[in-house]
Amino acid sequence: MDYVKLINCMRCGMCLPHCPTYKETFLETASPRGRVALVRKFQDGELVESEKFLEYVSLCLDCQACASACPCGVNAGELVAEFRCERKNEKGLSLMEDMVLRKLVPHPDRLEAATAPLRLYQKTGLQKVVRSLGLLKMFPEALGRMEGLLPKLPDAPLRQTIKEVTPAVGKEKGTAGFFLGCVMSLIFSEASLATVTLLSALGYKVVTPKDQKCCGAPNMLGHDMEGLKDAARFNTDLFESHDLDFVVTDCGGCGAELKKYGHHLDGEEGATTFSAKVRDISEVLAGEAGALKELLKPLPLKVTYHDACHIAHCQGIRSQPRTLINLIPGIDFRELPEADACCGSAGTYNIEKPEMSDRVLSRKVLNVQKTGADYLVTSNPGCLLQLKKALSEATPPVKVIHLTELLQMSMNA
Amino acid sequence: MENSFIKALAEIVGAEYTLSDPESLACYGYDSTPELQSRPGVVVLPKCTEEIARVMALCDGSGIRVTPRGSGTNLSGGSISFDAGVVLQTSRMNRILEIDEENLTATVETGVITSALHREVEAKGLFYPPDPGSMNISTMGGNVAENSGGLRGLKYGVTDDYVMGLKTVLANGDILKTGGKMVKDVAGYNLNQLLVSSEGTLGVFSEVTVKLIPKPQTKKTMLVHFPQLEQAALTVSHIIAARIIPATLEFLDRTTIKCVEDYAKVGLPLDVDAVLLIEVDGHPAQVEEDAAGIREICERHHCSFFQTAASPEEALKLATARRVALSALARVRPTTILEDATVPRSCIAPMVKLIQDTAKKYDLLIGTFGHAGDGNLHPTCLTDERNPDEIKRAHQAFGEIFEATIAIGGTITGEHGVGVAKKKYLPKLVGESGLRVMRGIKGAFDPRGTLNPGKIF
């Protein structure tokens, strides 16, 4: 760990009001400034890795709101993640972490096979029976929470059903590569289909290489840098083998990771070129605002927008999604208080730290209710899962959709 | 710290809010002051006035010292406990109790964040002017204790000018109410004003009542470049002499401009000595007239460039240079020592020159920016705490800068407080009689020396 990064923290406290866990606890140990201090004291040998110490450093959601707020350019979230990674590698992964984060999630084939029984479970009506009988309480808590978050799965993952090449409508402007992402393809395939439809309607040929691998973010979570580098090399070579003007994704997490390939592969030329080509779908569409406006029809809805951490804090994309929502005629856009605060999903945080995750989520739900919106738009699958469940149970319920789904709704209106 | 004492504290504020594990103590051993650190014996986070009163009574009776703390943004070491005592953090007391639109006052609990109060009162068309740089996290209690200033100090004054009433827990646990909603009140000594800027040495605030004013109707923002420092400084004096009082009149020197431009690329010129950021607010007609007057004065003093914002977005862009000054400087070297020298505003030019010469003499990188309109400068030394020789030179340089500040009729701190960082300069500033009176006051409030020991004197 680079010690200079730790001493760059001037302890000004500017990060505190942006940290979701500080806002819930008011405890310095649950703040970015405090976590940097803890890691530094550990490096200085003033603190040991006690149970409390681990509890404090693992309470970070890694939402990186602190990085956006820091005047000195310290990324406390990333420093803590890096620290946890280093410690983990010293001590080794648990069997479960090794299986899920290294052997399962990074491989689309295995992941799709593993989730096939889930589709069956929903299709046969078994899910309804389990839920209505309250059998979820009998699962181990983490598994029960995971099941509870699951919306209705599509019949098949998008990766299996989408054509490798989707032609442009009308005169072809260029070629876009489409990076699918695991959860988007497995669960939110309709949103991803909307992404492809929008690109094609705007005159882009869309190439979706079928054997693309996971972006590597789960490897990162599993503290597996080698796995991450393998994924980065594979995807870079695969996408660079097609003649693409840019590579688009509608998953905030994938976008943030793909844009870091150059960094992960220590500035290798191919990876840097690839990373420079990666765009979040909102960046592409905002660049086409004029043409897109022609395609949109009135949609009289009250809409608000949640900034996913991986979109706002990791990629700095804030204005584009709002511009796009406001392009829709008749839309009543209402700004969400604390819009760029984490929703508590944060990778697997909502499973691992349910209590804090729920507190962070409750704040988000209250803020959404304050807007009086009927629809909440966001563009990251983790947020979609977390917020869909919470807001479907709110009174009155609020519908949660991906940005591209909203735009497609307007196009089809 | 004895376990029985920690247990007694936990009975008052709850075990969850009584922290004594080594990790927590490490995290409450600092505030925002560079270089200073010291672990407390225990940390408590009370929820109400009564809990503070019981904590104080317990500590005063047991001979344990107490250091009050808000969000820990103090810049003079004032919220660090240097004798392993109790740190009492007020962040959980964060309710805005009342916004009284008939009396134009707001009453808040001590842990309310300053910008949260801004938002609430501005939504009602009212205005609480003090806006310290840390306003997004600093607490109202901390602002009162340090008498915080900010960018609007020139026209609207500082925290002191807005505090009307306080509820304060004294060292022995007694609760003292001073002032209130009365505009006029001359009954006895003005304890209210005395408590403001007492830096947590006289009492712990639990509630604060502040004055509100109508929100200004409109504002205009200007950014002006000056090839010569002298001309920028003269412009400041002449704007004031022309009876124009801008809301904001901020200054950046050459070193700061270069760092801001390197980092933020906002289009600042690299060949000028100084930049002024000026903002006027109020009635539209008055704003127009003031802006025209300012432009005329700037041009008369040979500014090389004068830019007026056409929209709120553009105003924000112009203000960016000033807003990111500290950020930009902080990114250059790991340890940023931000100081707080304040002089009569007619002395801005010689003061900036003196700071630049001192930096050269000690081979240091010091950027100066600050509130030119009220003479409050922030010479900021960019250094590395791992280089003891450089740190030593920085302290020598600041010693000289403060000597010079006092010599020309200035003060050692305009808004950050004396704390421990400046206490060696205080006797020179206030003299023997000043210290004797201050010590007498301290003794009257806190005879056992329980509250925030080692600060100010």
Side-chain angles (χ1 to χ4, degrees), chain A residues 11 28 33 40-41 50, chain B residues 23 30 32 37 71 385:
Chain A
R11 303 189 297 271
E28 192 71 24
R33 177 173 70 174
R40 185 173 171 185
K41 302 254 174 226
S50 67
Chain B
E23 291 81 11
Y30 54 77
S32 301
Q37 285 202 51
S71 297
E385 63 189 76

Side-chain angles (χ1 to χ4, degrees), chain B residues 242-261:
Chain B
R243 312 287 186 265
I244 300 172
I245 307 291
T248 296
L249 183 37
E250 295 288 308
F251 165 87
L252 304 179
D253 78 345
R254 186 184 274 269
T255 306
T256 313
I257 295 169
K258 192 180 171 303
C259 292
V260 169
E261 193 48 33

